[in-house]
């Protein structure tokens, strides 16, 4: 069975957390455009500096740059068995480009799970989000909680993503509502959308997600 899964949801809805579970279960690659841009911004290059400035403002990287990066990744052999896209597409031109690139590589989208979370909760979640600088584990912490990774054998230091600072968070949620929310109807019209309640406990979201994928396959 091939799975072409496109995780849709606002920043902080839990796409990355759920994608990690799907990677384990289906052994297919997790393609996170945000992770790819975080790697690019670390590079000492003109593109790296441009991407860093865009990310820190909460805006979107231009479609042409984003589409090319995802296209290169999707054409790698490990995507032949399926893929989990997380954070892409985020605009209508990106969604149209994705349809084209999948046609070219003989792949298709099986399901678009949409994790729905109210905006006010998103802002709170992103403001409490901390990431391990060693293994990448993500935590939701209160201001006084210890900022140390709890994963066995890791003990890395936790940091807050620069774009999770409160001023940027509000902008990112606005950008989602303006540019990405229209994709909900784009995929609903194609019969691919499955809306899930992203405000449930993580394990319950996972259970509904796995049931939806099994039903779509
Ligand atoms: P994320 O980790 O998915 O929240 O992405 C972090 C940031 O990377 C976003 O706020 C954008 O600046 C940039 N980014 C990630 N994916 C895309 C995309 N599909 N289109 C444009 N910009 C993106």
């Amino acid at each position: 069975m091939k799975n072409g899964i496109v995780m849709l949801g606002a920043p902080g809805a839990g796409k990355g957390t759920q994608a990690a579970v799907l990677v384990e279960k289906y052994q297919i690659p997790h393609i996170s455009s945000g992770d790819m841009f975080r790697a690019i911004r670390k590079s000492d290059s003109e593109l790296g500096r441009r991407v860093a400035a865009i990310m820190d403002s909460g805006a979107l990287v231009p479609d042409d740059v984003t589409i090319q990066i995802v296209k290169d990744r999707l054409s790698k052999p490990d995507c032949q068995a399926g893929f989990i896209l997380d954070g892409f597409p985020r605009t209508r031109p990106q969604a149209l480009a994705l349809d084209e690139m999948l046609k070219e590589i003989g792949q298709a989208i099986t399901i678009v799970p949409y994790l729905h979370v109210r905006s006010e909760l998103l802002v709170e979640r992103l403001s409490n989000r901390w990431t391990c600088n060693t293994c990448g584990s993500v935590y939701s912490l209160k201001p006084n909680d210890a900022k140390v990774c709890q994963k066995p054998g890791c003990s890395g230091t936790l940091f807050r993503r620069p774009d999770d600072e409160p001023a940027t968070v509000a902008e990112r949620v606005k950008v989602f509502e303006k540019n990405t929310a229209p994709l909900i109807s784009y995929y609903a019209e194609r019969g691919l959308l499955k809306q899930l309640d992203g405000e449930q406990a993580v394990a319950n979201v996972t259970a509904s997600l796995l049931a939806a994928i099994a039903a779509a396959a």
Side-chain angles (χ1 to χ4, degrees):
M1 175 189 72
K2 257 193 202 179
N3 266 315
I5 301 169
V6 175
M7 301 295 293
L8 199 59
K15 302 186 297 295
T17 302
Q18 296 299 333
V21 177
L22 299 182
V23 168
E24 280 284 304
K25 181 160 171 74
Y26 298 113
Q27 303 286 312
I28 51 178
H30 174 199
I31 304 177
S32 156
S33 45
D35 283 351
M36 291 195 274
F37 285 133
R38 276 182 282 282
I40 290 171
R41 71 176 287 169
K42 282 192 194 148
S43 68
D44 182 20
S45 67
E46 177 51 37
L47 180 64
R49 283 183 285 277
R50 212 174 125 208
V51 164
I54 294 171
M55 289 177 87
D56 291 350
S57 75
L60 295 180
V61 177
D63 283 335
D64 56 341
V65 177
T66 307
I67 288 166
Q68 192 55 51
I69 284 167
V70 173
K71 188 171 180 186
D72 290 348
R73 180 64 189 89
L74 270 176
S75 54
K76 298 253 161 68
D78 63 337
C79 296
Q80 275 306 310
F83 54 84
I84 302 155
L85 276 170
D86 163 9
F88 182 94
R90 253 177 160 97
T91 64
R92 191 179 161 82
Q94 290 182 15
L96 295 171
L98 176 61
D99 289 343
E100 277 307 303
M101 58 181 101
L102 291 179
K103 220 184 282 168
E104 274 173 34
I105 60 171
Q107 290 267 34
I109 299 171
T110 326
I111 186 169
V112 180
Y114 165 48
L115 304 185
H116 178 260
V117 175
R118 281 166 298 152
S119 304
E120 55 272 29
L121 199 60
L122 293 170
V123 173
E124 187 188 316
R125 279 192 187 183
L126 291 170
S127 305
N128 295 334
R129 178 161 78 175
W130 292 78
T131 307
C132 174
N133 68 355
T134 308
C135 72
S137 294
V138 176
Y139 297 90
S140 175
L141 299 177
K142 300 270 174 295
N144 291 332
D145 290 341
K147 307 298 183 292
V148 179
C149 186
Q150 302 299 316
K151 203 170 166 190
C154 181
S155 72
T157 305
L158 307 186
F159 69 98
R160 185 193 244 171
R161 279 172 40 178
D163 56 345
D164 282 346
E165 295 299 334
T168 313
V169 161
E171 179 60 21
R172 290 169 66 206
V173 172
K174 249 195 257 164
V175 166
F176 171 80
E177 280 159 5
K178 178 164 179 271
N179 298 285
T180 313
L183 299 185
I184 297 166
S185 53
Y186 180 85
Y187 287 117
E189 282 159 17
R190 285 160 181 72
L192 290 170
L193 194 87
K194 179 71 193 172
Q195 178 161 331
L196 303 171
D197 177 3
E199 295 186 13
Q200 307 171 83
V202 173
N204 295 346
V205 178
T206 303
S208 345
L209 178 60
L210 294 178
I213 293 170

